[in-house]
């Protein structure tokens, strides 16, 4: 590789990284300002949960057994080598709003594209719900155990043997990123305008 080719390759890599970081920054700002307020966010979350219940009988069973449900009606994920995801959601306890939360995270590696999807986190133990209320931010992987439920489990899983603190169900996926993982994400309480 000549010196000139090396300089061009280096500039290209820096350009791609800068582009990816810009996309992540835009995503984070856009997701935070996209929420029109608590009323609109609550309406979107309730509609998303109703859609999940209509398409998965297993989710209805989780809903009946849970002590709380945190619904993120739209999480936006984008990336080019460096990626990011963010979205706002509503925590329900006994059918009533108990708080508002943001989920966000970053990832590195071979990735390109964008997608949007929804997530419902079913809290099965009061202790797990208490942890979310008391912590200033919950990094998935610390605190309550979370199991991401795939489509096979949502159709054939046995809710009589649930052993985890939280079951997370992704749904309504649109786009081409390919991974709906919660790895590297943080959930933080927010206070949207009314």
């Amino acid at each position: 590789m000549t010196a000139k080719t090396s300089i061009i390759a280096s500039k290209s890599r820096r350009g791609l990284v800068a582009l990816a970081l810009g996309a992540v920054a835009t995503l984070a700002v856009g997701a935070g300002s996209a929420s029109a307020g608590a009323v609109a966010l609550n309406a979107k979350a309730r509609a998303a949960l109703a859609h999940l219940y209509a398409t998965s009988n297993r989710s209805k069973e989780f809903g009946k057994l849970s002590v709380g449900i945190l619904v993120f009606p739209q999480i936006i994920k984008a990336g080019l080598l460096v990626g990011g995801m963010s979205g706002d959601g509503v925590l329900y306890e006994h059918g009533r709003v108990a708080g508002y939360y943001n989920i966000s995270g970053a990832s590195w590696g071979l990735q390109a594209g964008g997608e949007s999807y929804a997530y419902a986190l079913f809290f099965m133990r009061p202790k797990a719900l208490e942890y979310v209320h008391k912590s200033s931010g919950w990094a998935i992987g610390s605190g309550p155990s979370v199991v991401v439920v795939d489509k096979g489990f949502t159709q054939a899983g046995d809710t009589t043997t649930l052993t985890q603190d939280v079951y997370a169900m992704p749904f309504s996926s649109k786009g081409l990123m390919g991974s709906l993982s919660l790895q590297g994400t943080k959930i933080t309480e927010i206070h949207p305008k009314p």
Side-chain angles (χ1 to χ4, degrees):
M1 181 181 289
T2 67
K4 186 176 182 179
T5 307
S6 177
I7 291 170
I8 291 170
S10 178
K11 286 183 179 179
S12 294
R13 280 191 298 271
R14 282 193 304 247
L16 285 173
V17 170
L19 180 64
L21 290 173
V24 172
T26 302
L27 172 69
V29 170
S33 62
S35 175
V39 172
L41 182 56
N42 185 28
K44 287 179 186 177
R46 286 197 186 276
L49 188 58
H51 172 74
L52 177 60
Y53 285 166
T55 57
S56 167
N57 288 332
R58 192 66 62 202
S59 66
K60 283 190 242 182
E61 292 179 37
F62 279 136
K64 289 175 189 172
L65 296 171
S66 67
V67 294
I69 306 168
L70 180 52
V71 181
F72 293 99
Q74 183 179 37
I75 298 171
I76 299 172
K77 183 175 183 179
L80 180 64
L81 300 178
V82 177
M85 49 91 77
S86 185
D88 293 339
V90 182
L91 175 63
Y92 298 103
E93 292 178 37
H94 309 292
R96 290 190 286 270
V97 174
Y100 297 91
Y101 292 82
N102 173 269
I103 187 169
S104 60
S107 58
W108 295 263
L110 293 174
Q111 56 188 332
E115 70 181 330
S116 70
Y117 54 97
Y119 243 113
L121 283 78
F122 295 89
F123 290 81
M124 308 311 281
R125 311 232 185 301
K127 195 179 218 179
L129 202 52
E130 287 171 26
Y131 181 89
V132 172
H133 284 303
K134 291 179 180 178
S135 65
S136 60
W138 173 32
I140 303 291
S142 67
S145 62
V146 178
V147 172
V148 177
V149 177
D150 64 11
K151 286 188 178 185
F153 185 92
T154 58
Q155 297 308 318
D158 182 0
T159 56
T160 62
T161 59
L162 298 176
T163 59
Q164 302 301 316
D165 296 327
V166 182
Y167 288 89
M169 289 187 179
F171 61 102
S172 298
S173 177
K174 298 173 189 160
L176 299 172
M177 287 290 281
S179 171
L180 303 182
S181 170
L182 285 172
Q183 291 286 12
T185 60
K186 186 172 182 178
I187 296 174
T188 310
E189 188 172 13
I190 59 172
H191 303 284
K193 60 186 176 185

